[in-house]
Every structure is written in structure tokens, then in C-alpha cells.
């Protein structure tokens, strides 16, 4: 792009290879951008809430994903339009920061764009709309603080945490056993949480899945599950009070680093070489025994000879264990990872009360459970399910639940769900609009209307009459000044979300409103789109 001047000194822009570029400017560009953002929101709108539908996505290499999670749907979709990519990043940032509410944030942004389009058609300048939205989002943010409730919980009373995790799981495919999964998620988070610092390291929770069994068989193991079996079938399947040597060095004779050739011209020399190797193995195995290890976990493999020797010396071993799993085993058992054999000492051994190998079904699948560890700060959630897609979706659902539990430990404020907090914010923003003179008040009112999109979508997805239901709940909130009335999605017969126990985290809701407003402001400020043309 270059700037030039004509003979009267008027500037004009010269575009490089102009005939090959498509260019939209002014109102056309804004409308095209708004349409792209709304198209993405429309896809996700139907998967909002407990009665929301699932999406089935097929990747180029034929893998099928069935999911209800907004961030996953948008990640897997192949989006070309730049504005639609902004919406994908919006749900991704909600997923990274909060972990839950990824669908709601996109639906919210879509309805803000829809309202902005109406204002643009009336001739209101996009910057004024963006400023009005910014004011309205601040009003909504503060209003949420006022209607939020704090609840106290401790290690003995975890019911409030479980209720909140059940709310996030109720919109997923696993909602038939949401109670047990919510309990598992909360117990896992509390096991690794540092309640003094209000911090949770989710890396210490390993989520492992195995096809077979039913969803109800999902369990929480205070320890580590490794998808490996003992290296020799005759090694003991259960070791109590295990002392574990965790090795990252290869269990084999040393090889020269450079290319090498050994000339063997007699049988004796070959025998000598073999005995030398065997002695080397013997020394290694003996070293492990002398230190007091009763189980060796090795990152690398060892050949059949070493395996045979280990079996004869009664030293069970597991080979080919991944680096991440080794770290978790070291954290759980209080051991140290040993990179060189010479450094192996008894202080570096990990301790576990029970190590057992467990077989599943009629297949040869076996896994090793390391339980009753010295430091139970690393836990594993072990998921069972009918097929691979079910297990993957359960993993995503549990990730949402774990994030919700973590957010509550960080900040224990909640707002009520079912669209009640959005309706309450909408009423507050509508009331505040009258205090603002100038064009911004139109944008503030539009923001209030946009907030109604989430309860509206909830009602629509639940098969209720959307407009009737929404206006009934809204008038009930206004009359009674009751911030807890929401959409009764599950047909329980009451609109009061306190009775239905539907909670959401305050920081999750606030983040949704802020992120959606930021993205919409950014989209409204674009007035010129220069893109390479299609051909």
C-alpha cells in the first residue's frame, strides 16, 4: 500500500496488485465482519445449556469427535474467515483462563454483534457503540459483584463445590452420572490443592482412560496409573511396601559413542565378551538390590537377557515408561529420578504402599497401579466408557469440572446459573442507561438486550417458548427484586435457582462479559478489509 498525491495535493492510496485484491470498506466491511461473527455464534447457540445438542466433527484423517464443549468445537472447525478466527480465539482464551463457559462467551459476543448491526444501520458511529458497550460491561461487572454470594467450604464440607461442578457437568453427555463425576473431580482437586496459597496445580491430576466397562466404573486413584505391564510375565503382580528405583539411564551394557567394530575370530573371545556383558548386567541388578529397591521403573527398554536376569534375581521391573509419567511417579512416591547408575542410593528410592498389576476384561490389557504413596499429592482419574469418543468427551467434561473446582478454591464467590445472572445484569444495565446522556445510551440499551440472548438460547434449547419464558422470568425478577430467578431448563417446576442448586463461578461470568465486549469492540473498529481475492 502506498500513499500518493494528485496535482491538486489530494492524497490517494495505491494498492499493490490492486486487481487481485478484494476490498470492503466502510459500512459494508463492518456488516460483513458482524455477519461472520454471528455465523460462528449461531453454530454454538444450540449446544448451550443442559438440554443443548452435541456436535459431530470429522477431521481430515477420518477421526470423529463428538462434543458439547464450545472451545473444542471451534478448535476442530476449519475456519477461514479472519473475524471468525477471532471468535475461535475468544473461546480459547476463556478455556485457558477459566476452563468453563466457552460456549456462552461466543453466544454472548454474537448477540452483541447482532445488536451493534441494528445501531450501525441507524447511522450511529461504531466508536460510539464500542464506548457504550465498554460502559455497559463495567456496569454489568460491578452488578455481578453485588449479587454474588460467598460460600464457605473446607476439607470436611465439600458439598457446595460438588453442586457447582454438577452444574457444569449437567450440560455434557455424562450428565446421567454427574454426581459421582463431580465428587471425583472435587476430591482430586482437594488432594492436590494448596489451600494456604489458594493454588491448584492441575498438572498433578492425571486423567487416564480405557475403553470397556461403563461410565459408572470411573474411579479416583490416590496414586498413579501407568499404562504398562511388568516386563516379564512371571514377575510378581503385587508388591507391598515397594521401594521404587526410577531410572532414566538405559539398562544395557555401554556402547561406544562412535561407530565401532569388534573383531572376534575365536569362540573363546566371543564367550569372554558374552560373560563380560552378563557380568555388567549382574552388577547393575545387584546394585539395585543392594540399595534396597524392590521395583525398577525404567524410561528405556532392556533386552531379553536383562529381563531374564531381573526375573531370576526377583527384581520386578517396568520398561518404556514416558517422561511425564516418571515425573508424576517421582512426585507421588517421593523418589528422585536417577539419570546415572553410579548415583543410585537408598535415599533416592520412592516409596509406595502397594504396587499392583490389574488386567481388564478378556483382553491382554494390563495397567500398573501405584497406590498408598508417601506423598499423595499426585492423583489419577481413571475413566471407563463404552467407546473412545465417549472417553474423550468425558475427559473434556472432567477438565471443565476440575477447572471450576480450582476457580472456586481461588475465589469462592458464586452467582446463580440458568440465565438468572444475565437477566439480573440486563435489568441493571437497562436502568443505568437513562443516566447517560448522548448517543452511548443506545449502545448501553443494546448491551442489555444482548445479555438476554443467553437465557433466550437456554429456553429455546429446552423446548420452551423462548420469548414468553424470558419475559415471565424478567418480570418476576423486577417485581420481587429477586436475582435468583432463571430459566427452568430441567422442568423441575420452580424458577428459583437456589432451590435447583444451579451455581456458576463469579470470575467465570465476569470473564465472559469482559472478553466478549473486548472482541466485539475490536471487530467494530475495523472499517477496511483488504484480502487476496478468491481466484
Amino acid at each position: 500500500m502506498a500513499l500518493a498525491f494528485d496535482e491538486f495535493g489530494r492524497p490517494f492510496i495505491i494498492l499493490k496488485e490492486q486487481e487481485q485484491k478484494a476490498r470492503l470498506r466502510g459500512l459494508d466491511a463492518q456488516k460483513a465482519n458482524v455477519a461472520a461473527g454471528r455465523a460462528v455464534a449461531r453454530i454454538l447457540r444450540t449446544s448451550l445449556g443442559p438440554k443443548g445438542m452435541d456436535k459431530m466433527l470429522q477431521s481430515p484423517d477420518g477421526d470423529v469427535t463428538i462434543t458439547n464443549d464450545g472451545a473444542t468445537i471451534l478448535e476442530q472447525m476449519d475456519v477461514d474467515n479472519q473475524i471468525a478466527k477471532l471468535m475461535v480465539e475468544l473461546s480459547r482464551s476463556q478455556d485457558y483462563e477459566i476452563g468453563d463457559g466457552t460456549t456462552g462467551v461466543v453466544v454472548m459476543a454474537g448477540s452483541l454483534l447482532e445488536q451493534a448491526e441494528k445501531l450501525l444501520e441507524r447511522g450511529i458511529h461504531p466508536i460510539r457503540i464500542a464506548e457504550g458497550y465498554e460502559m455497559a460491561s463495567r456496569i454489568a461487572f460491578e452488578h455481578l459483584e453485588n449479587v454474588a454470594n460467598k460460600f464457605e467450604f473446607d476439607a470436611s464440607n465439600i458439598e457446595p463445590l460438588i453442586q457447582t461442578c454438577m452444574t457444569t457437568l449437567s450440560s455434557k453427555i455424562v450428565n446421567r452420572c454427574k454426581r459421582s463425576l463431580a465428587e471425583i473431580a472435587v476430591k482430586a482437586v482437594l488432594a492436590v490443592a494448596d489451600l494456604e496459597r489458594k493454588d491448584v496445580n492441575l498438572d498433578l491430576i492425571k486423567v487416564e482412560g480405557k475403553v470397556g466397562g461403563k461410565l459408572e466404573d470411573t474411579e479416583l486413584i490416590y496414586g498413579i496409573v501407568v499404562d504398562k505391564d511388568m516386563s516379564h510375565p512371571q514377575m510378581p503382580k503385587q508388591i507391598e511396601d515397594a521401594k521404587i528405583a526410577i531410572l532414566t539411564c538405559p539398562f544395557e551394557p555401554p556402547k561406544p559413542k562412535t561407530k565401532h567394530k569388534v573383531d572376534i575370530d575365536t569362540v573363546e573371545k566371543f564367550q569372554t565378551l558374552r560373560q563380560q556383558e552378563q557380568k555388567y548386567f549382574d552388577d547393575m541388578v545387584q546394585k539395585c538390590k543392594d540399595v534396597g529397591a524392590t521395583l525398577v521403573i525404567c524410561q528405556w527398554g532392556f533386552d531379553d537377557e536383562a529381563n531374564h536376569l531381573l526375573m531370576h534375581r526377583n527384581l520386578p521391573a517396568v520398561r518404556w515408561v514416558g517422561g511425564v509419567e516418571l515425573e508424576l511417579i517421582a512426585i507421588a512416591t517421593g523418589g528422585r529420578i536417577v539419570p546415572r547408575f553410579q548415583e543410585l542410593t537408598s535415599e533416592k528410592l520412592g516409596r509406595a504402599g502397594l504396587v499392583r498389576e490389574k488386567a481388564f476384561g478378556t483382553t491382554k490389557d494390563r495397567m500398573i497401579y501405584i497406590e498408598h504413596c508417601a506423598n499423595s499429592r499426585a492423583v489419577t482419574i481413571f475413566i471407563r466408557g463404552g467407546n473412545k469418543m465417549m472417553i474423550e468427551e468425558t475427559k473434556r467434561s472432567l477438565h471443565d469440572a476440575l477447572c471450576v473446582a480450582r476457580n472456586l478454591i481461588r475465589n469462592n464467590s458464586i452467582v446463580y446459573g440458568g440465565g438468572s445472572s444475565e437477566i439480573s445484569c440486563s435489568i441493571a444495565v437497562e436502568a443505568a442507561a437513562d443516566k447517560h446522556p448522548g448517543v452511548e445510551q443506545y449502545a448501553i440499551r443494546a448491551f442489555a438486550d444482548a445479555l438476554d440472548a443467553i437465557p433466550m438460547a437456554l429456553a429455546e434449547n429446552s423446548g420452551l417458548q423462548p420469548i414468553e419464558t424470558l419475559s415471565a422470568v424478567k418480570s418476576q425478577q423486577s417485581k420481587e427484586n429477586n436475582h435468583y430467578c432463571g430459566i427452568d431448563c430441567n422442568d423441575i417446576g420452580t424458577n428459583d435457582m437456589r432451590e435447583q442448586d444451579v451455581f456458576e463461578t463469579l470470575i467465570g461470568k465476569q470473564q465472559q462479559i469482559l472478553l466478549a465486549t473486548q472482541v466485539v469492540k475490536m471487530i467494530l473498529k475495523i472499517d477496511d478489509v483488504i484480502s487476496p481475492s478468491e481466484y
Side-chain angles (χ1 to χ4, degrees):
M1 199 144 84
L3 188 65
F5 295 91
D6 63 6
E7 64 268 31
F8 301 111
R10 290 178 301 212
F12 61 93
I13 289 173
I14 300 171
L15 288 177
K16 236 187 226 169
E17 298 166 352
Q18 188 161 344
E19 72 285 352
Q20 289 174 19
K21 288 195 168 65
R23 185 173 183 198
L24 280 172
R25 47 191 308 186
L27 201 56
D28 289 341
Q30 276 147 354
K31 282 191 178 169
N33 292 346
V34 167
R38 280 174 55 193
V40 175
R42 206 175 303 126
I43 294 168
L44 289 196
R45 193 184 162 100
T46 52
S47 63
L48 187 73
K51 295 277 195 286
M53 298 298 194
D54 288 1
K55 307 282 182 240
M56 182 164 163
L57 303 145
Q58 190 173 4
S59 70
D61 39 350
D63 290 343
V64 174
T65 308
I66 297 176
T67 180
N68 190 299
D69 181 43
T72 313
I73 295 170
L74 293 180
E75 287 278 323
Q76 305 264 351
M77 267 169 39
D78 198 10
V79 179
D80 279 342
N81 187 294
Q82 296 306 315
I83 300 296
K85 280 183 183 166
L86 282 178
M87 301 295 261
V88 176
E89 283 175 19
L90 165 70
S91 82
R92 194 185 301 151
S93 57
Q94 175 80 9
D95 194 31
Y96 286 167
E97 189 61 32
I98 302 294
D100 186 34
T102 49
T103 315
V105 72
V106 177
V107 173
M108 172 98 193
S111 69
L112 283 170
L113 286 171
E114 199 171 329
Q115 296 296 332
E117 189 173 25
K118 292 175 186 168
L119 296 179
L120 287 171
E121 281 170 358
R122 289 191 197 164
I124 297 176
H125 195 279
I127 295 294
R128 305 302 290 271
I129 300 174
E131 282 170 2
Y133 276 181
E134 182 63 33
M135 289 175 191
S137 72
R138 273 203 296 271
I139 297 163
F141 188 90
E142 283 158 16
H143 180 70
L144 280 175
E145 293 266 353
N146 299 336
V147 299
N149 289 359
K150 277 205 182 317
F151 63 56
E152 301 310 322
F153 61 88
D154 50 47
S156 55
N157 172 30
I158 55 172
E159 191 57 34
L161 284 172
I162 293 173
Q163 292 291 355
T164 316
C165 286
M166 277 167 66
T167 304
T168 186
L169 287 172
S170 61
S171 66
K172 309 283 187 230
I173 215 165
V174 295
N175 61 359
R176 65 193 167 89
C177 44
K178 60 183 178 187
R179 172 83 207 184
S180 59
L181 285 177
E183 283 177 10
I184 286 174
V186 170
K187 284 176 185 166
V189 167
L190 285 175
V192 302
D194 184 345
L195 292 174
E196 306 292 304
R197 285 177 35 233
K198 291 196 170 184
D199 188 40
V200 180
N201 182 2
L202 287 183
D203 291 340
L204 295 176
I205 301 174
K206 184 179 174 215
V207 183
E208 187 73 59
K210 197 89 175 156
V211 174
K214 51 187 192 295
L215 197 56
E216 282 81 358
D217 295 340
T218 300
E219 55 183 339
L220 174 66
I221 294 141
Y222 288 100
I224 303 292
V225 174
V226 186
D227 194 358
K228 295 279 179 267
D229 50 3
M230 294 291 184
S231 61
H232 197 291
Q234 289 172 315
M235 284 177 178
K237 303 287 181 226
Q238 187 159 330
I239 307 161
E240 289 180 7
D241 293 329
K243 295 192 175 68
I244 304 171
I246 305 167
L247 306 175
T248 54
C249 46
F251 216 103
E252 54 189 25
K255 291 190 177 77
K257 290 277 187 287
T258 54
K259 282 188 178 176
H260 63 289
K261 194 168 91 196
V262 181
D263 284 332
I264 299 174
D265 46 13
T266 62
V267 178
E268 286 77 24
K269 282 187 181 173
F270 184 74
Q271 294 286 11
T272 319
L273 181 69
R274 202 175 153 281
Q275 278 165 359
Q276 194 71 37
E277 285 197 357
Q278 196 163 356
K279 181 175 179 303
Y280 188 82
F281 272 138
D282 263 354
D283 292 348
M284 287 169 97
V285 175
Q286 200 51 47
K287 172 93 170 144
C288 293
K289 298 279 283 186
D290 291 347
V291 171
T294 54
L295 172 67
V296 176
I297 293 181
C298 192
Q299 187 171 12
W300 303 105
F302 30 80
D303 57 16
D304 294 342
E305 195 173 352
N307 209 354
H308 175 79
L309 272 167
L310 286 164
M311 212 277 294
H312 275 290
R313 295 281 177 354
N314 286 332
L315 186 59
V318 185
R319 55 183 164 183
W320 302 122
V321 179
V324 178
E325 290 170 333
L326 273 184
E327 284 176 21
L328 284 171
I329 292 169
I331 291 169
T333 58
R336 302 284 291 278
I337 296 177
V338 180
R340 280 205 295 273
F341 243 102
Q342 294 76 18
E343 297 174 7
L344 189 60
T345 58
S346 55
E347 295 84 60
K348 293 186 178 175
L349 297 180
R351 283 171 177 66
L354 178 64
V355 177
R356 61 193 170 97
E357 184 179 288
K358 187 174 173 186
F360 296 100
T362 54
T363 58
K364 291 196 175 67
D365 277 350
R366 294 190 182 85
M367 292 179 106
I368 288 178
Y369 284 53
I370 302 172
E371 297 174 293
H372 309 309
C373 302
N375 167 19
S376 63
R377 288 294 295 278
V379 297
T380 305
I381 298 174
F382 186 51
I383 300 170
R384 305 303 308 274
N387 56 27
K388 187 159 161 268
M389 286 177 279
M390 187 72 184
I391 286 177
E392 290 302 317
E393 178 60 2
T394 310
K395 278 186 183 176
R396 283 189 285 272
S397 309
L398 268 173
H399 171 258
D400 282 12
L402 292 171
C403 289
V404 166
R406 180 194 64 180
N407 293 338
L408 281 174
I409 286 174
R410 284 184 177 172
N411 177 352
N412 62 351
S413 301
I414 52 153
V415 289
Y416 286 86
S420 60
S421 51
E422 279 91 352
I423 296 172
S424 171
C425 283
S426 169
I427 294 169
V429 171
E430 185 84 55
D434 299 336
K435 296 174 191 160
H436 288 271
V439 182
E440 279 85 0
Q441 66 171 300
Y442 288 107
I444 295 175
R445 283 208 181 86
F447 190 94
D449 292 343
L451 280 168
D452 289 342
I454 289 194
M456 191 102 128
L458 283 174
E460 211 169 294
N461 293 346
S462 307
L464 306 167
Q465 293 288 334
I467 296 173
E468 278 177 36
T469 317
L470 178 63
S471 46
V473 173
K474 213 167 179 179
S475 66
Q476 191 181 343
Q477 276 214 21
S478 302
K479 277 181 202 155
E480 300 172 11
N481 198 15
N482 173 357
H483 303 297
Y484 313 123
C485 293
I487 307 288
D488 178 18
C489 296
N490 292 328
D491 248 358
I492 293 177
T494 168
N495 278 342
D496 195 328
M497 292 296 138
R498 285 175 298 186
E499 289 172 34
Q500 287 201 24
D501 285 333
V502 179
F503 313 127
E504 293 184 60
T505 51
L506 169 69
I507 47 178
K509 257 302 164 249
Q510 288 179 329
Q511 186 83 1
Q512 271 188 353
I513 289 177
L514 291 181
L515 283 176
T517 313
Q518 279 172 13
V519 169
V520 170
K521 275 175 63 184
M522 192 167 153
I523 293 173
L524 284 176
K525 284 187 173 180
I526 300 169
D527 77 328
D528 204 336
V529 180
I530 300 165
S531 53
S533 68
E534 295 303 314
Y535 59 85

